[in-house]
Amino acid sequence: ITSTLAGQIVMEGYLHIRLPLWQRRLLTRAVTLIPILIIGMLVGFSDAAFENLIIYAQVALSIALPFTLLPLVALTN
């Protein structure tokens, strides 16, 4: 959901791409779901593998978050 909303805001606000709402949602959800499906196929849709991937993703996000928030605050100031 977060990726879909962020994609819609970027498409509409920053890239000025005007699409009907259903097309915009379809595009942003497809961009979000395709990598998840590829990763799922690689790990065999195993619950344990997905749990480990989620933990690793959260660690990576916690490290990367300050590097994305600082420019965002500076640009929107």
Side-chain angles (χ1 to χ4, degrees):
I1 293 171
T2 304
S3 299
T4 301
L5 291 174
Q8 289 177 14
I9 291 168
V10 168
M11 283 178 59
E12 195 171 288
Y14 295 117
L15 301 178
H16 303 291
I17 298 174
R18 304 281 185 215
L19 294 173
L21 186 59
W22 69 271
Q23 286 180 346
R24 194 172 0 148
R25 286 184 179 162
L26 180 67
L27 179 64
T28 55
R29 286 185 183 154
V31 167
T32 302
L33 287 176
I34 289 172
I36 293 170
L37 291 173
I38 291 170
I39 291 170
M41 285 186 271
L42 291 174
V43 299
F45 293 101
S46 165
D47 288 341
F50 271 121
E51 287 177 17
N52 286 333
L53 287 173
I54 289 172
I55 292 169
Y56 296 141
Q58 292 302 315
V59 169
L61 286 173
S62 69
I63 293 169
L65 189 60
F67 296 106
T68 57
L69 279 179
L70 293 175
L72 181 64
V73 170
L75 291 171
T76 57
N77 187 1

